[in-house]
Amino acid sequence: MFPTDGFRALDRQECLRMLAKVPVGRVVYTRQALPAVLPINFSLDTDASVLLCTSPGSDLVRAIDGVVVAFEADKFNAATRSGWSVVVTGRAGVVTDRAEHERLTQTGPTSWMPLRDVVFVRIESEMVTGRELNGGLSTP
């Protein structure tokens, strides 16, 4: 990209700072050999992994446990034509360690849906990319 094209690449730390500002993102995965996207609330863990909270029997858990997925979150202002988008790519896995599950019950995300039992899914932040749109094209 050219310096005047209105976009700026975000480094890893900037991406993580941006992710921490929004409550909802989209998990991108494969369902029945087709691409699927699901909006879901999330939080970031201390190791920068993305944490999801859902029900143990959900289709999402069955589809993403142990596979590489993408997670995207963004924030845009249409009036100013500005905003940002961040994508985290990494292996997803259900948190099975009891102590870790207990910790996440206190510090992790809570589902916006009423759930009787919860399972936490961790998406490792193996690759984190992002870009910012600064409000339109500038002229040289």
Side-chain angles (χ1 to χ4, degrees):
M1 289 185 217
F2 300 105
T4 59
D5 68 359
F7 287 99
R8 180 177 73 87
L10 301 173
D11 67 27
R12 181 182 176 91
Q13 290 308 315
E14 289 175 302
C15 287
L16 296 174
R17 233 181 351 267
M18 297 292 191
L19 280 178
K21 294 180 180 183
V22 294
V24 175
R26 292 155 214 79
V27 61
V28 181
Y29 62 103
T30 303
R31 182 177 58 213
Q32 298 177 347
L34 296 172
V37 180
L38 179 69
I40 191 166
N41 65 301
F42 74 101
S43 68
L44 291 178
D45 204 357
T46 55
D47 66 352
S49 59
V50 173
L51 295 169
L52 313 176
C53 179
T54 188
S55 68
S58 74
D59 290 340
L60 178 65
V61 169
R62 285 191 295 280
I64 70 173
D65 189 23
V67 301
V68 174
V69 300
F71 183 84
E72 188 273 343
D74 54 50
K75 186 171 183 180
F76 288 97
N77 182 323
T80 62
R81 296 182 179 188
S82 62
W84 56 267
S85 175
V86 171
V87 176
V88 173
T89 306
R91 187 164 304 278
V94 172
V95 174
T96 57
D97 180 76
R98 276 184 182 264
E100 182 72 356
H101 189 278
E102 189 61 33
R103 179 182 74 83
L104 294 177
T105 300
Q106 301 301 315
T107 64
T110 56
S111 175
W112 288 5
M113 301 295 295
L115 300 175
R116 203 169 41 158
D117 295 319
V118 300
V119 63
F120 294 99
V121 176
R122 176 183 306 280
I123 301 171
E124 301 295 336
S125 59
E126 296 169 20
M127 184 168 52
V128 180
T129 59
R131 65 185 195 168
E132 182 178 46
L133 175 62
N134 70 10
L137 300 177
S138 58
T139 56

